[in-house]
């Protein structure tokens, strides 16, 4: 059994993991870290909240510490994720002499150029801005020996495919590449053939499953009653809440409305300036306010352990986003609640979500925890359901 203490990790890293209270590796870490330490490429998929950041962070930082030269590059789809991953990696680096640079859009170019002058050995960023630096000649990647693509499916969804190709042209083939993705559809497999060299393929759990400790609930409402129903639900719940809506404008409007009703709420969406976006997330992280109203910009990867409830005020456009949204709660083994307010026009979308979550099952209209409009019925826990074979049995084979 793989352990952080006995894996031969550089001592500063072992100390950092102790400080972070990472005592036992999660399944994806146990599977990915040993081959990555041996220098293998990795193609990994694992449910959200299962510790993928450390699954690539630990071997990457070990490699940086074990070699005096060479740098590493981590690519992520959104600025928020880049900020979060940089923070997590900095914790793992601790006081070891590895400097990092964060290259994301919406932030001052000169400051980033200044950061790059310090010759950081670890670059974290989004593909668009990294490409800007590469074409301007302010970023050199010829000595990058370690590449990580995180949330790769999302990067492709967001149209970063061409940007990734362009970045990859600056890198030497003599590198180690770790690619993580929530799902492994055909376009990812194709990309992996292009970018990875004989990767070890790791798939933990089902990518269409959510954490077992999330209890899901559905309430059918009319559009006219939706807002008042939301207020009731906010009253009866304790702890922090993220509410997902469809549009940027809808997020603003709902946050303002909630504030008028004496709730502490802020909106997060792609039209906000970058420093505002960071301020909003930082405030929520520090629990300066209770409710974050967000578009799907916040559905992926955000790791805010205290989020107790996810409320789908509007349904997401794509069924996959439902999984990502509700995965913002019940992080790292905690409990969480996910509530969906279902308006009549969204029934078809809801069915599509159910089909994806429970393939091969006959679809009833209700999910596990459907609550009658008059309340009452307790949400059923998903953990009571048996999901044959998919959980716990990590499938690992050479790709
Ligand atoms: P993912 O990228 O798979 O969604 P993250 O890397 O964001 O998940 O990790 C989710 C949470 O689990 C984080 O808060 C992280 O600190 C915590 N975590 C990760 N690995 C461990 C571990 N081995 N022991 C304890 N907590 C961990
Ligand atoms: Mg992640």
């Amino acid at each position: 059994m793989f352990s952080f203490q006995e894996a031969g990790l550089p001592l500063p890293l072992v100390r950092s993991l102790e400080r972070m209270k990472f005592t036992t590796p999660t399944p994806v870490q146990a599977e990915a870290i040993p081959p990555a330490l041996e220098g293998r490429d990795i193609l990994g998929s694992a449910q959200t909240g299962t510790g993928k950041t450390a699954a690539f962070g630990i071997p990457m930082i070990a490699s940086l510490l074990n070699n005096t030269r060479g740098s590493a590059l981590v690519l992520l789809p959104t600025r928020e994720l880049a900020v979060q991953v940089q923070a997590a990696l900095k914790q793992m680096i601790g006081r070891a002499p590895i400097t990092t640079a964060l290259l994301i859009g919406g932030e001052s170019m000169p400051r980033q150029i200044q950061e790059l002058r310090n010759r950081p050995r670890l670059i974290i960023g989004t593909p668009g801005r990294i490409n800007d630096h590469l074409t301007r000649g302010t970023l050199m990647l010829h000595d990058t020996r370690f590449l990580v693509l995180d949330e790769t499916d999302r990067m492709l969804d967001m149209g970063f495919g061409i940007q990734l190709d362009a970045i990859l042209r600056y890198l030497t083939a003599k590198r180690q590449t770790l690619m993580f993705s929530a799902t492994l559809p055909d376009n990812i497999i194709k990309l992996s053939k292009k970018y990875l060299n004989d990767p070890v393929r790791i798939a933990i759990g089902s990518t269409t499953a959510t954490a077992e400790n999330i209890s899901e609930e559905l309430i059918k409402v009319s559009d006219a009653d939706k807002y008042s129903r939301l207020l009731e639900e906010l009253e009866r719940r304790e702890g922090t809440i993220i509410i997902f809506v469809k549009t940027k404008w809808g997020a603003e409007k709902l946050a303002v409305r909630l504030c008028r009703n004496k709730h502490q709420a802020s909106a997060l969406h792609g039209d906000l300036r970058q420093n505002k976006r960071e301020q909003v997330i930082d405030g929520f992280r520090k629990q300066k306010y209770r409710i974050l109203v967000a578009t799907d910009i916040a559905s992926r990867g955000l790791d805010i352990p205290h989020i107790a409830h996810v409320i789908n005020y509007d349904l997401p456009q794509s069924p996959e986003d439902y999984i990502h949204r509700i995965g913002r709660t019940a992080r790292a083994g905690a409990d969480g609640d996910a509530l969906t307010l279902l308006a009549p026009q969204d029934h078809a979308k809801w069915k599509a979500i159910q089909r994806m979550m429970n393939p091969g099952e006959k679809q009833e209209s209700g999910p596990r925890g459907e609550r009658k409009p008059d309340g009452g019925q307790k949400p059923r826990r998903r953990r009571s359901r048996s999901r044959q074979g998919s959980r716990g049995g990590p499938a690992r084979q050479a790709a």
Side-chain angles (χ1 to χ4, degrees):
M1 181 62 192
F2 168 77
S3 88
F4 294 136
Q5 281 72 31
E6 289 156 25
L9 299 174
L11 205 58
L13 186 51
V14 176
R15 294 267 179 276
S16 299
L17 294 172
E18 280 168 9
R19 256 197 320 276
M20 294 167 75
K21 308 232 163 15
F22 282 21
T23 45
T24 6
T26 66
V28 66
Q29 290 162 6
E31 290 285 308
I33 295 172
L37 286 172
E38 286 169 18
R40 295 287 303 271
D41 281 3
I42 305 276
L43 172 59
S45 68
Q47 274 157 253
T48 182
T50 54
K52 293 190 284 297
T53 315
F56 65 75
I58 289 171
M60 177 178 70
I61 291 165
S63 157
L64 289 172
L65 289 170
N66 288 336
N67 299 287
T68 47
R69 292 168 55 184
S71 63
L73 173 67
V74 181
L75 296 172
L76 295 135
T78 67
R79 302 161 185 181
E80 281 72 22
L81 284 178
V83 170
Q84 173 182 296
V85 164
Q86 185 194 33
L89 295 175
K90 274 185 160 173
Q91 276 194 303
M92 290 177 220
I93 291 169
R95 279 185 290 276
I98 295 173
T99 46
T100 69
L102 180 70
L103 303 181
I104 57 179
E107 281 194 347
S108 138
M109 213 54 188
R111 202 169 69 211
Q112 292 178 359
I113 292 170
Q114 190 55 45
E115 267 188 45
L116 288 170
R117 290 215 181 93
N118 300 333
R119 307 183 122 264
R121 291 188 67 208
L122 174 53
I123 311 271
I124 299 137
T126 48
R129 181 55 67 97
I130 296 220
N131 252 316
D132 278 357
H133 281 286
L134 286 169
T135 47
R136 285 175 191 220
T138 46
L139 172 65
M140 303 289 177
L141 294 178
H142 54 266
D143 71 343
T144 300
R145 294 285 182 273
F146 207 107
L147 171 68
V148 175
L149 304 171
D150 193 16
E151 302 268 359
T152 310
D153 50 351
R154 184 63 165 181
M155 285 205 272
L156 294 187
D157 287 349
M158 290 173 72
F160 282 137
I162 292 169
Q163 304 260 26
L164 290 180
D165 279 344
I167 294 169
L168 268 283
R169 279 199 284 276
Y170 287 86
L171 296 174
T172 164
K174 276 190 258 139
R175 59 155 203 270
Q176 186 177 359
T177 307
L178 273 47
M179 190 159 132
F180 284 92
S181 178
T183 55
L184 291 176
D186 287 348
N187 57 353
I188 303 279
I189 303 288
K190 231 167 96 189
L191 200 72
S192 74
K193 297 219 167 86
K194 210 158 54 164
Y195 295 164
L196 305 183
N197 173 24
D198 184 26
V200 175
R201 187 157 160 179
I202 293 165
I204 307 283
S206 153
T207 50
T208 57
T210 50
E212 302 203 325
N213 35 3
I214 302 180
S215 85
E216 294 175 66
E217 246 183 280
L218 181 76
I219 298 179
K220 293 180 180 167
V221 286
S222 66
D223 279 317
D225 293 339
K226 214 172 176 185
Y227 183 69
S228 56
R229 193 63 213 238
L230 175 68
L231 287 182
E232 280 170 32
E233 291 299 323
L234 296 179
E235 292 298 330
R236 59 180 281 274
R237 283 158 199 270
E238 273 169 30
T240 48
I241 300 177
I242 181 164
I243 301 176
F244 282 104
V245 296
K246 194 155 46 185
T247 63
K248 299 164 181 175
W249 161 238
E252 283 294 339
K253 207 171 64 175
L254 186 59
V256 168
R257 226 173 148 186
L258 288 172
C259 289
R260 280 204 203 112
N261 285 107
K262 305 274 178 284
H263 284 285
Q264 301 165 296
S266 278
L268 180 73
H269 54 78
D271 273 357
L272 299 176
R273 285 200 329 274
Q274 182 57 25
N275 61 359
K276 176 70 184 169
R277 272 160 69 165
E278 273 163 37
Q279 221 180 310
V280 168
I281 290 190
D282 192 55
F284 189 54
R285 216 182 266 290
K286 294 185 177 139
Q287 303 198 42
K288 289 186 182 152
Y289 60 93
R290 180 181 175 225
I291 302 169
L292 180 68
V293 184
T295 58
D296 276 300
I297 193 176
S299 69
R300 291 271 181 149
L302 270 195
D303 181 47
I304 302 181
H306 62 67
I307 298 177
H309 310 271
V310 172
I311 298 181
N312 293 305
Y313 192 69
D314 300 321
L315 283 191
Q317 287 305 331
S318 80
E320 290 78 24
D321 279 337
Y322 177 80
I323 291 180
H324 294 296
R325 283 180 174 191
I326 71 174
R328 292 318 104 218
T329 184
R331 309 282 297 166
D335 280 333
D337 287 300
L339 168 69
T340 299
L341 296 175
L342 188 64
Q345 70 272 17
D346 284 337
H347 280 217
K349 268 190 194 162
W350 178 251
K351 279 215 173 103
I353 291 169
Q354 290 305 305
R355 270 198 302 277
M356 177 197 59
M357 308 267 297
N358 312 297
E361 259 176 46
K362 191 171 167 295
Q363 301 305 314
E364 302 290 335
S365 62
R368 289 131 285 287
E370 184 175 346
R371 199 132 52 86
K372 295 284 170 288
D374 57 346
Q377 187 188 334
K378 254 185 84 187
R380 235 188 299 157
R381 290 269 155 182
R382 296 208 69 183
R383 71 164 69 93
S384 61
R385 291 158 42 80
S386 75
R387 223 174 292 120
Q388 305 138 344
S390 64
R391 177 167 292 272
R396 177 174 151 189
Q397 75 258 5

